[in-house]
Structures are given as structure tokens and as C-alpha cells.
Amino acid sequence: MSENFQHIPDEVFVDTLNHFLAPVRTLLDDPSVSEILINGHNTIYFERRGQLHKSDLAFQSAEDIEGLCQNLAQYMGKHISHENPLLEARLPDGSRVAVVAPPAARGGVMISIRRFSKERALPDQLIKWGSATQEVLDFLRACLHCKRNVVVAGGTGSGKTTLLNILSSFFPDQERIIVMEDVSELQVQKEHVVYLETRPPDPRGRG
């Protein structure tokens, strides 16, 4: 949390966020929705089972969506402004949020909320989904046990986070695992895990 807001309890920020998120609460509460795309205050799309749909939901005004962004930035100890129009954050439930504000966004504030399943994916599920074979999983397990570098790359929604969560189950139990992310979203399936999250400097370059 930023220095100016250290005296405000997290519960206050959560309550305020819930107030600003009320227009999309039905989508946030729907476990079948994997992504919510807010294109300005009155155009909202959502993704369900890989298909995009336009909703009839809307925020009352552009000021409401700007208030959401400012409160989310404060909750994360970050800032968003005309000079710094990009924000990566997460909601209290772990959903990942990407914000692009004017002047980078010509049509108003753009927000993407990426949802994640609360159930931990298992290696057998990759085989069931046809995403991997047993031979591929055995190879990746061997790479991790031999402490080889492994790069997981792909487009948005391609399953990078799911694969990383599954690969974490291959780590030896005696290892201490350190996770470093811009925005925390991984769910490492081991007991001894240290989660670290980057922190950008404040407007004066401090921190």
C-alpha cells in the first residue's frame, strides 16, 4: 500500500472497490465468465467458454469508472494518471486487471478483468483436454527436476497460467520456491512458497 494510504484498512478499500464494481457484479459472480472487457463506461463485453458476448450492463458515467481505477490503484499501492496511463492490478479475489486510460486510450478508460478458476488444475486434465501427452509431461517434469530453464509463452487466454500452475506440482517437495510477478496470479501447488510482487516508484521516483 502506498505511503499516503497506509493508515486506511484494507477492508475499506475492498468495500469501496465492491461499490465501484457493482455494475459488473453479476459477471464477477458468474464462474463461467473468464474475462470482462470494459470499453469505456457504457460498453461491456464478457467471455464465456471462449466466446465473446456483448452485455447490456453499463456504468452510470465516465467518472464512476475513473473512480474505480483510482481506488484500484490505491489498493495496489500504485498510481494511474495522465502521465502514467497504464495500470496492472488484481482484485481481492485474485482476478487480474489491466487498465489503459487516456490519453493512451482514445475512447475512454479501457479495463480488462481476467478471471481464474478457483479449482487447481491437475496434470491429468491437460491430457484429458488434449493439450499435452504423458510423454510431454514426463519431459517437462525431467526438465524441472534437472533445474533446466523452461519458457512458457503464448497469447492471452492460451493457458500459460494454467500450465505454470500444473508445472509447479512437479517441483520437489524439499525445494523453497520463490515466485516473482508484476501482478500475483500463480497458485503454486507446494507448501514452501514465497510470493513477491513488483512495486513501481511513486510519482517522485521513490520506492
Side-chain angles (χ1 to χ4, degrees):
M1 194 176 298
S2 65
E3 296 176 2
N4 293 335
F5 296 91
Q6 286 180 346
H7 63 285
I8 300 178
D10 284 351
E11 292 79 6
V12 175
F13 279 119
V14 173
D15 289 343
T16 308
L17 277 176
N18 287 334
H19 167 74
F20 281 115
L21 288 168
V24 293
R25 176 52 55 191
T26 55
L27 296 177
L28 289 170
D29 290 341
D30 187 342
S32 68
V33 173
S34 55
E35 189 164 15
I36 302 168
L37 302 170
I38 303 170
N39 303 337
H41 74 279
N42 58 2
T43 305
I44 299 174
Y45 287 82
F46 64 94
E47 182 184 77
R48 177 183 285 133
R49 301 181 182 90
Q51 298 294 321
L52 277 179
H53 307 273
K54 186 176 182 179
S55 77
D56 57 359
L57 303 174
F59 289 81
Q60 289 188 355
S61 67
E63 287 73 21
D64 285 347
I65 198 170
E66 290 169 5
L68 166 62
C69 294
Q70 291 296 338
N71 194 263
L72 183 59
Q74 292 171 7
Y75 178 74
M76 292 296 299
K78 299 182 178 181
H79 62 278
I80 185 168
S81 63
H82 188 86
E83 293 75 21
N84 183 45
L86 306 180
L87 173 67
E88 288 195 0
R90 55 181 163 79
L91 298 181
D93 68 357
S95 298
R96 183 164 184 170
V97 183
V99 178
V100 183
R106 293 174 53 191
V109 177
M110 317 290 280
I111 302 176
S112 170
I113 303 175
R114 189 71 181 172
R115 314 287 308 290
F116 299 103
S117 174
K118 296 182 179 179
E119 297 182 0
R120 290 187 172 182
L122 301 173
D124 291 345
Q125 289 177 294
L126 285 182
I127 298 176
K128 181 180 179 181
W129 296 334
S131 301
T133 63
Q134 187 62 55
E135 291 77 12
V136 168
L137 292 177
D138 290 342
F139 172 75
L140 291 172
R141 187 193 302 269
C143 289
L144 293 173
H145 278 260
C146 294
K147 298 186 178 180
R148 300 297 183 184
N149 293 331
V150 177
V151 177
V152 178
T156 301
S158 61
K160 299 184 298 296
T161 301
T162 299
L163 177 57
L164 283 170
N165 286 332
I166 290 175
L167 291 180
S168 72
S169 67
F170 298 160
F171 296 153
D173 291 332
Q174 68 271 20
E175 295 283 355
R176 182 180 194 231
I177 302 166
I178 299 177
V179 180
M180 295 177 287
E181 301 175 88
D182 289 332
V183 178
S184 183
E185 59 181 306
L186 291 179
Q187 298 174 341
V188 176
Q189 301 181 33
K190 290 296 177 180
E191 182 177 352
H192 193 177
V193 185
V194 177
Y195 291 97
L196 304 177
E197 198 169 42
T198 61
R199 177 184 175 185
D202 66 13
R204 298 183 181 180
R206 301 175 302 182

